[in-house]
Amino acid sequence: MSTDEYRTASRLPGVGTLTRPGGDAVPRAHRLALAEMAVGLPAAAWGARRRSVGWAVVGAVLMAHGALELSYEAVFPRD
């Protein structure tokens, strides 16, 4: 048995995939990016309301990182 055949035969179903085993089509990174943006928006709003530069920066960084993660798949599509 070659090493490639061994690797595919010994892999457990669902291990190493980017989606949930239930067939959900949204990759984990996509859900994480949406969660970052969902947390970043209220954090930035809290910082703006309280005039706290720290919270505003945290919210802006979370939203920017989430937006970059979402745009990654548009730039580098999966096969």
Side-chain angles (χ1 to χ4, degrees), residues 5-64:
E5 291 172 349
Y6 177 75
R7 287 181 187 154
T8 56
S10 64
R11 185 175 294 165
L12 296 172
V15 174
T17 59
L18 294 176
T19 59
R20 282 193 265 173
D24 189 9
V26 179
R28 291 179 197 155
H30 190 80
R31 289 192 305 258
L32 180 62
L34 290 174
E36 284 182 347
M37 293 187 72
V39 170
L41 183 64
W46 175 267
R49 180 180 163 96
R50 297 287 181 174
R51 294 189 177 136
S52 172
V53 176
W55 280 107
V57 168
V58 166
V61 167
L62 281 171
M63 288 190 299

